[in-house]
Amino acid sequence: LVAREVSAPMLAEFPVGKLKAIVSIQGSNNSHAAILARAMGVPAVMGLGGVPLSMLNDQELFVDGYSGQVVLAPEQQARNEFIQLILEEEALNERIESESDQPAKSVDGCEMTLLVNVGLSAGLEMEQNKQGAGVGLYRTEIPFMLRERFPSEQEQFELYHSLLSAHPNKEMTMRTLDVGGDKPLSYFPISEENPFLGWRGIRLTLDHPEIFLIQVRAMLRASIGLTNLQILLPMVSSISEIDEANRLIKQAFYEVKEDAIKNNKVLFKPAIGVMLEVPAVIFQLELIAKKVDFFSVGTNDLTQYLLAVDRNNSRVAQLYSSYHPSVLIALNQIFQTSNLCNIPVTVCGELAGEPSGALILMAMGYRKLSMNAHSLR
């Protein structure tokens, strides 16, 4: 797939396994499209810049997602070298696959809980990665992107129930609708000069409680008789947002519970959590801990907002780093406060899926990491 700009909705339209590689003239390696590409296990190079699309048309390309290189019409020697690299990559994948049943435990005895970030095809992603302890982040916005209208409560119920019931003994953390920024809905256009600081995540759904209530009702209905549902609130920046979201969830819970009782079924109260991705929440953690059941750290947006770096802008892509001292200090502070408040905390951003990032997080004390299926392998 070669395009001037590859977006998350564009990628969501492609069936998993149909793409060989992705090249985007605009964008950066930190965008949501790039994150989805990694989740698909597809080599992707974003932000080529200055390269006309016509130059790439009808040409053989070798795309190296590790180095960020795109080689146009390679000579035979270079071609042979690339083929050898591909064979080595396949051999490495086979070796990793053969060890997939091993426990998530370090040599010095540190036990970890590893979860999967899903959304493109949740059922397939779970089946392909059975070694995961569950879903740490289900991006519910992706099924919304694949439609030409908002899915009905029944459509959402069927989707969520298929995942919850297929893995009743594994935790399933479903994030409420998180659109806006670089994740637009074609049937709900939002025009803003600075979308990453605008109307997105919980801000949008609380302004449209009918959208929020329908989705939460669908989640709760799907969890009747099950105990593995966890609901995650995105883009939270204030206590008042948590209070309003909890009020709406409580309303939906009693509505669904009443229906469940009529049908002699049991509805268990799900755990409610917030994503820690807006720096403002770091200074409210002790207060927020009294309102929710768990935290989930979104390192992608947390890095973007802490460093004031647009993660989609290739001009400043080199300034975006989750290993920046400020980000690491913030992550350490989050864990220390969470531990003090005795509240579970998971890291679900891209940092958790990087070997060096996972080691740093483990050293800080984190014991639950959620990552895309390809990284978990």
Side-chain angles (χ1 to χ4, degrees), residues 279 302-310 319-322 324-327:
L302 182 63
T303 299
Q304 172 175 238
Y305 295 131
L306 274 172
L307 304 183
V309 174
D310 181 351
L319 299 177
Y320 181 98
S321 172
S322 294
H324 188 285
S326 297
V327 179

Side-chain angles (χ1 to χ4, degrees), residues 25-92:
I25 305 302
Q26 298 177 4
S28 80
N29 195 44
N30 307 306
S31 67
H32 277 108
I35 291 170
L36 288 182
R38 286 193 285 273
M40 298 167 76
V42 178
V45 175
M46 307 287 188
L48 279 184
V51 178
L53 280 173
S54 58
M55 181 185 293
L56 306 178
N57 193 38
D58 292 327
Q59 297 291 328
E60 182 180 43
L61 303 178
F62 277 90
V63 181
D64 187 341
Y66 291 115
S67 65
Q69 290 184 324
V70 177
V71 180
L72 177 67
E75 296 179 353
Q76 190 59 45
Q77 182 178 347
R79 196 175 191 280
N80 291 339
E81 291 174 357
F82 270 108
I83 290 173
Q84 182 60 37
L85 286 173
I86 291 170
L87 293 174
E88 291 175 3
E89 178 83 357
E90 291 173 350
L92 178 61

